Amino acid sequence: ITRTAFFLDSAESRLKGQVRHIGIESLQFSRTDVSKYYRLCGFTITEKEQDLLYSQSEGWVSARYLFMLEFIAEGSITGKANIQELVHQTVFAPLRAELKSFLFCVGVFDSFDLAQAAYMYPNVNTEALLEELLSRNAFVTRGRFSAGYHLHNLFSMCIREEFTKLPDERRQAIWKRAGGWYVRQKEYLQAIECYFFAGAFDELLDVLEMDKGNSFSGETMSHLIACLSDCPKEVRERHHFAMLVYARKLFGVNQMQLFSAVCAEVTASIVKDGALDAEEKDRLLGEYELLMSFIKYNDITRMSEHHREAGRLLKGCSRILDTHSSWTFASPSILALFHREPGKLSEEVRTMHSSMPYYYRITGNHGNGAESVMEAEAAFC
């Protein structure tokens, strides 16, 4: 079952009776189909109205339904309103105020379940509101095999268009509440997006810290960069840990210029923050030292200098590192990464043995065994 032109070469299968192909032409409403449809719904239209409906909809059944609502409301079909205007006039505008308020709250989602609706619109019987919506039009549907609800794309577009006309404070409050829902579900990427739309940057950075940036990959980092670029500097300066996490993610996607700028900003804010006690400040600066070690990658001697300083300051394990990631950034060979000079391989293996324990102590044994693998590779080569 597909929406694409999949059966382009199906002549043989059709001749053998193996395929029945329902194509676009079978589902489009022809001019005569339009009249039949309206008759089945209890209305008779003229030939002129039939032609007008067909030209406006190009055979699309959803548009037939909308124009019929206009016909019921106005007693005629003008064809002047576009589809979006028709959705507004015939579906959205007649709704009572509470239903509209409810739709503004759930309309920020593509689909939602009853618990989600109740969270977004609390202290009200949201199930009753949904039942009322389901009974009034075909643009709110309940999933056949799930407890979820779905707004027809046209209806959703209409709600979101009206949503943009709400006062800023109300729109921001709805987005902020949506962010809270996603945090509860541990869907941090969506939570950050909602908090961004709400202008709630403190909450956005709290989520980044909570997630440790693990929800962001190379494909989604551009969005995080845009969010943090719009974040006021005074807010960024209150969230040292989140900014260290952000810097680590920037290094991972090779945004080195921005990485350097963020590192400079976060260290300056840590040093000048009078609200931090000495232990907190040391821990944050220890995390920064660990970050700096990656700049020296892949010189294990210079990396280890930062690891030792980080250990002195942290007095425990780092909290910014994703210890489920590959220590070698997915390279299959330790030797290929850390063998730097001809004739020095044996010395480099000894250096790995003496250096790696300092890294293991501050990362909970992340990459444990790297020195043994390098020694094995050296012996094999």
Side-chain angles (χ1 to χ4, degrees):
I1 296 173
T2 175
R3 292 184 181 209
T4 60
F6 184 77
F7 294 111
L8 296 176
D9 234 358
S10 59
E12 184 181 352
S13 297
R14 293 187 197 205
L15 285 170
K16 292 178 178 178
Q18 296 173 333
V19 165
R20 296 278 188 266
H21 182 206
I22 301 173
I24 294 171
E25 67 283 351
S26 303
L27 300 174
Q28 285 177 327
F29 274 43
S30 67
R31 280 179 169 79
T32 54
D33 288 335
V34 171
S35 293
K36 290 177 183 176
Y37 173 71
Y38 274 74
R39 275 202 304 276
L40 285 169
C41 294
F43 305 100
T44 302
I45 59 173
T46 66
E47 190 173 333
K48 183 179 178 181
E49 287 172 329
Q50 170 188 291
D51 292 340
L52 176 64
L53 282 166
Y54 184 78
S55 65
Q56 289 285 318
S57 67
E58 298 181 357
W60 182 32
V61 66
S62 298
R64 301 286 58 67
Y65 174 75
L66 286 169
F67 280 118
M68 186 174 67
L69 294 181
E70 182 195 32
F71 186 82
I72 293 168
E74 307 294 335
S76 64
I77 299 168
T78 64
K80 291 178 182 177
N82 64 32
I83 297 296
Q84 207 54 48
E85 288 172 345
L86 269 178
V87 173
H88 182 271
Q89 292 169 10
T90 60
V91 182
F92 182 79
L95 296 175
R96 60 190 179 90
E98 186 172 31
L99 288 176
K100 290 177 182 176
S101 294
F102 171 67
L103 285 168
F104 288 142
C105 291
V106 296
V108 296
F109 304 113
D110 293 327
S111 60
F112 56 92
D113 59 25
L114 192 57
Q116 211 166 342
Y119 179 86
M120 291 300 295
Y121 203 69
N123 307 318
V124 174
N125 186 345
T126 49
E127 188 171 11
L129 293 179
L130 282 164
E131 289 301 323
E132 184 178 347
L133 284 167
L134 286 166
S135 67
R136 291 184 67 121
N137 64 71
F139 289 88
V140 181
T141 55
R142 186 189 284 116
R144 186 176 296 178
F145 303 108
S146 69
Y149 295 85
H150 177 74
L151 303 176
H152 188 285
N153 188 46
L154 279 174
F155 193 33
S156 180
M157 286 169 62
C158 173
I159 293 165
R160 291 178 185 185
E161 176 65 27
E162 293 301 307
F163 181 80
T164 63
K165 300 173 186 176
L166 296 176
D168 289 348
E169 296 80 8
R170 190 175 174 197
R171 281 189 292 105
Q172 289 167 355
I174 291 171
W175 277 120
K176 190 171 179 178
R177 193 153 185 84
W181 169 261
Y182 281 125
V183 169
R184 286 169 59 136
Q185 308 309 307
K186 298 184 178 180
E187 296 179 18
Y188 299 120
L189 192 64
Q190 294 89 333
I192 282 176
E193 184 174 30
C194 290
Y195 284 138
F196 175 69
F197 290 139
F201 288 104
D202 279 305
E203 287 82 357
L204 186 155
L205 287 167
D206 285 341
V207 173
L208 182 60
E209 180 173 333
M210 198 182 303
D211 179 44
K212 295 185 181 179
N214 292 335
S215 297
F216 289 89
S217 60
E219 295 78 26
T220 52
M221 269 303 292
S222 58
H223 181 62
L224 182 61
I225 291 169
C227 290
L228 271 293
S229 296
D230 283 356
C231 179
K233 185 178 180 182
E234 61 271 19
V235 178
R236 295 199 302 266
E237 289 178 343
R238 290 198 292 268
H239 294 267
H240 311 301
F241 187 83
M243 294 305 292
L244 287 166
V245 169
Y246 177 48
R248 177 178 66 80
K249 296 300 294 185
L250 289 172
F251 180 85
V253 295
N254 203 31
Q255 287 276 352
M256 297 310 295
Q257 188 173 351
L258 187 53
F259 168 80
S260 298
V262 170
C263 285
E265 180 182 299
V266 72
T267 48
S269 67
I270 292 168
V271 169
K272 75 176 185 181
D273 190 341
L276 293 172
D277 61 33
E279 186 178 345
E280 289 176 305
K281 192 167 287 191
D282 278 354
R283 281 200 62 82
L284 288 166
L285 291 173
E287 301 282 14
Y288 171 75
E289 283 294 331
L290 177 58
L291 269 183
M292 290 300 99
S293 75
F294 288 106
I295 294 180
K296 307 297 168 50
Y297 203 91
N298 40 5
D299 184 335
I300 192 60
T301 301
R302 299 180 69 192
M303 289 179 73
S304 189
E305 291 169 3
H306 289 287
H307 295 157
R308 295 172 200 223
E309 180 63 8
R312 184 185 71 80
L313 293 164
L314 284 168
K315 298 180 178 65
C317 286
S318 164
R319 293 194 299 125
I320 67 166
L321 198 68
D322 175 14
T323 54
H324 297 292
S325 63
S326 166
W327 180 70
T328 64
F329 295 95
S331 169
S333 172
I334 307 290
L335 186 146
L337 287 175
F338 290 97
H339 175 37
R340 302 176 61 81
E341 291 184 56
K344 295 287 184 73
L345 183 53
S346 296
E347 183 182 329
E348 289 164 345
V349 168
R350 287 193 296 273
T351 302
M352 285 287 286
H353 274 282
S354 63
S355 299
M356 289 307 295
Y358 292 97
Y359 178 75
Y360 300 149
R361 282 174 205 154
I362 59 173
T363 60
N365 286 323
H366 182 228
N368 193 12
E371 68 278 27
S372 298
V373 173
M374 186 168 176
E375 183 177 2
E377 285 191 80
F380 176 77
C381 289

